[in-house]
Amino acid sequence: MTTYWLEHGWVGERVEDGVVVDLVPPDAPGPVPVDEELGNGATAPGPVPPGHILAVRTGVATPPAGAVRLPGLTLPGLANAHSHAFHRALRATAQVGSGTFWTWRETMYRFAAALTPDSYHALARAVYAEMALAGITAVGEFHYLHHQPDGRPYDNPNAMGEALIAAAADAGVRLTLLDTAYLSSGFGAEPDRHQRRFSDTTAEEWAARADRLRGDSHTLIGAAVHSVRAVPADQLATVAEFARRRGAPLHVHLSEQRAENEACLAATGRTPAQLLADHGVLGPGTTGVHNTHLTDEDISLIGTSSTGTCMCPTTERDLADGIGPAPRLQRAGSPLSLGSDSHAVIDLFEEARALELNERLRSRTRGHWTAAALLRAATADGHAALGRPEAGTLAPGAPGDLTTLALDTVRTAGAPPLLGAETAVFAAGAADVRHVLVGGRVIVRDGRHVTLPETGRALAEAVAAVQDGGRAAAR
């Protein structure tokens, strides 16, 4: 057993002082029986697997002998529910000039064309390490770069997806690979030259390729519909059935742009949400990403079906998408999660803060969510959206995924520890993360990634390689 003493811990959605967390070591030979003599805290109901929490005790004023001290506020590991790893290469570059989502997309295509399995592995490994440094212990990768730029499959048809799986393992974070069906450039249109590498031609061919992907202790294989414009209506059910058959999470970009809504109405007479409902895509295993431009009926369909909503506020404002109706969606029954999407920044505290502050700007009132509710979106509800409902809590039986935030930096100092949730959401940032454990294994120590200590250099080199390739492709 490995014991950690948390100066302050987020337990049961409140800050507790002096929290002892007993973990089964990640290299233990097998599950450990529960010892009822562990103390006054809660223990797991049965044998606990390696890398999971065995017991949690609160109100322990001094560290037990041999315990590892974690000063500051320790939270469950954060969940980044929506990522496009290769978009990290666009940071700053995409801020030059003006335009819309659609002009930004042309720049994105140029970088997408430059990636190979090797260069994608190098970039994603550094991006996932950046996430780990920000306290993120699990990521949902919305993956559609499947083939060679001309659309021909690699000798290994899943070479790009497996590069992402290896990258996450190297960085030490959990991955839900949301293998994405992307079959057309618009309603009734073939993929254009930029999109050929995304397409498997049909949903059946997509499913046959995706079915060959294999998860492991750190990797889940999920599914995604890129959007209603990218998957023909008569093939949506195939993707939904693939996810149901595997018990896998299903994600979909939904109503991010008004132009998509207008095109969908013109082609089908239905809004995107209505079209997805018609073909069995909505439901408790599904998460709509963005959910920005919705009708009252759309909100009801999403909420009553318990379809989740992943908001990506820093990307939505970066791309001038708009502010989605998150409070109404949640009241209707849609659980909220958060993602960094295009990685304009990678900071789940900022995403949580932006969700509330954007709504304040829209409504001109304050206090739409408590800090505790925003932390839940960044932790438990985010992990659930990624297919890990047991994660995102400091509780017996949960994975040993911990993120410790310093409370003595220039951003976080001054407030009483009791207000640690408010400090985390409304003042802290990724730079305040000090220690991160995934499955009981330390991946960030004292603000430094353990296996990729020169993360900045790795990012610079990987991004430069992709940008050079993108310039060459443009010529």
Side-chain angles (χ1 to χ4, degrees):
M1 186 173 65
T2 303
T3 299
Y4 286 87
W5 181 81
L6 321 180
E7 185 181 19
H8 310 288
W10 182 246
V11 181
E13 299 200 354
R14 57 177 289 173
V15 176
E16 298 280 2
D17 298 333
V19 179
V20 171
V21 175
D22 295 314
L23 287 172
V24 180
D27 54 357
V32 173
V34 173
D35 184 348
E36 298 296 340
E37 300 180 1
L38 281 172
N40 65 346
T43 57
V48 179
H52 285 61
I53 297 174
L54 184 64
V56 177
R57 290 168 280 164
T58 60
V60 181
T62 57
V68 179
R69 297 179 72 257
L70 293 179
L73 173 65
T74 297
L75 309 165
L78 308 181
N80 186 354
H82 190 65
S83 163
H84 301 288
F86 78 94
H87 287 192
R88 175 62 178 80
L90 278 73
R91 190 181 293 180
T93 300
Q95 304 301 334
V96 177
S98 61
T100 66
F101 166 86
W102 306 101
T103 54
W104 167 88
R105 192 174 68 156
E106 294 303 310
T107 304
M108 180 269 288
Y109 283 156
R110 189 168 73 248
F111 290 126
L115 286 160
T116 67
D118 287 343
S119 65
Y120 205 9
H121 172 267
L123 177 62
R125 179 183 59 181
V127 173
Y128 296 151
E130 182 182 358
M131 290 185 194
L133 290 167
I136 293 164
T137 58
V139 56
E141 184 63 37
F142 202 98
H143 165 58
Y144 52 82
L145 293 180
H146 303 309
H147 307 300
Q148 298 180 63
D150 63 2
R152 288 180 298 124
Y154 290 98
D155 291 340
N156 172 4
N158 284 309
M160 295 294 268
E162 290 177 6
L164 291 167
I165 292 171
D170 290 347
V173 301
R174 301 185 191 275
L175 176 71
T176 298
L177 185 68
L178 298 161
D179 196 280
T180 303
Y182 193 137
L183 307 173
S184 68
S185 62
F187 297 92
E190 293 295 316
D192 66 23
R193 63 185 181 87
H194 301 295
Q195 299 160 340
R196 284 195 291 264
R197 76 179 311 181
F198 310 160
S199 177
D200 290 289
T201 309
T202 68
E204 289 76 13
E205 290 295 319
W206 164 82
R209 179 190 50 74
D211 208 31
R212 296 170 62 179
L213 286 162
R214 293 290 177 265
D216 54 36
S217 61
H218 266 54
T219 307
L220 294 178
I221 305 301
V225 171
H226 179 273
S227 57
V228 293
R229 70 178 185 273
V231 178
D234 62 359
Q235 299 187 58
L236 290 169
T238 300
V239 184
E241 176 55 30
F242 173 93
R244 277 193 293 271
R245 175 168 54 84
R246 295 181 62 128
L250 174 63
H251 288 214
V252 53
H253 289 135
L254 178 53
S255 289
E256 183 178 3
Q257 295 291 319
R258 291 189 187 277
E260 177 184 282
N261 290 1
E262 294 163 0
C264 189
L265 283 165
T268 70
R270 310 289 279 163
T271 67
Q274 291 168 341
L275 190 66
L276 294 172
D278 290 346
H279 293 276
V281 176
L282 301 186
T286 299
T287 297
V289 181
H290 304 304
N291 292 1
T292 307
H293 303 289
L294 302 175
T295 67
D296 291 345
E297 182 181 350
D298 293 339
I299 293 171
S300 179
L301 282 171
I302 292 166
T304 57
S305 64
S306 299
T307 300
T309 295
C310 179
M311 304 298 288
C312 306
T314 64
T315 291
E316 289 151 5
R317 67 193 184 194
D318 181 53
L319 300 182
D321 286 346
I323 301 171
R328 293 181 62 198
L329 283 161
Q330 189 169 49
R331 288 195 297 269
S334 180
L336 299 182
S337 55
L338 298 168
S340 62
D341 193 359
S342 69
H343 311 314
V345 298
I346 294 177
D347 189 336
L348 261 288
F349 300 109
E350 174 61 23
E351 302 295 345
R353 176 162 55 245
L355 190 64
E356 167 68 22
L357 299 187
N358 285 358
E359 189 60 26
R360 291 183 186 184
L361 284 174
R362 189 197 64 78
S363 66
R364 296 182 298 283
T365 59
R366 305 175 76 232
H368 302 276
W369 291 277
T370 64
L374 293 168
L375 278 181
R376 187 165 59 250
T379 54
D381 287 347
H383 288 287
L386 297 180
R388 293 187 173 89
E390 74 285 359
T393 180
L394 299 186
D401 301 352
L402 313 180
T403 291
T404 300
L405 192 69
L407 293 179
D408 58 357
T409 74
V410 293
R411 289 165 294 278
T412 61
L418 182 65
L419 298 179
E422 287 75 11
T423 298
V425 171
F426 292 105
D432 299 311
V433 171
R434 290 294 175 267
H435 309 290
V436 178
L437 280 73
V438 176
R441 198 177 305 278
V442 178
I443 62 169
V444 173
R445 180 182 290 114
D446 296 323
R448 192 176 179 88
H449 197 279
V450 171
T451 59
L452 200 66
E454 299 298 328
T455 306
R457 178 183 299 174
L459 278 164
E461 292 173 352
V463 168
V466 175
Q467 291 180 339
D468 289 345
R471 283 189 285 269
R475 292 195 293 271

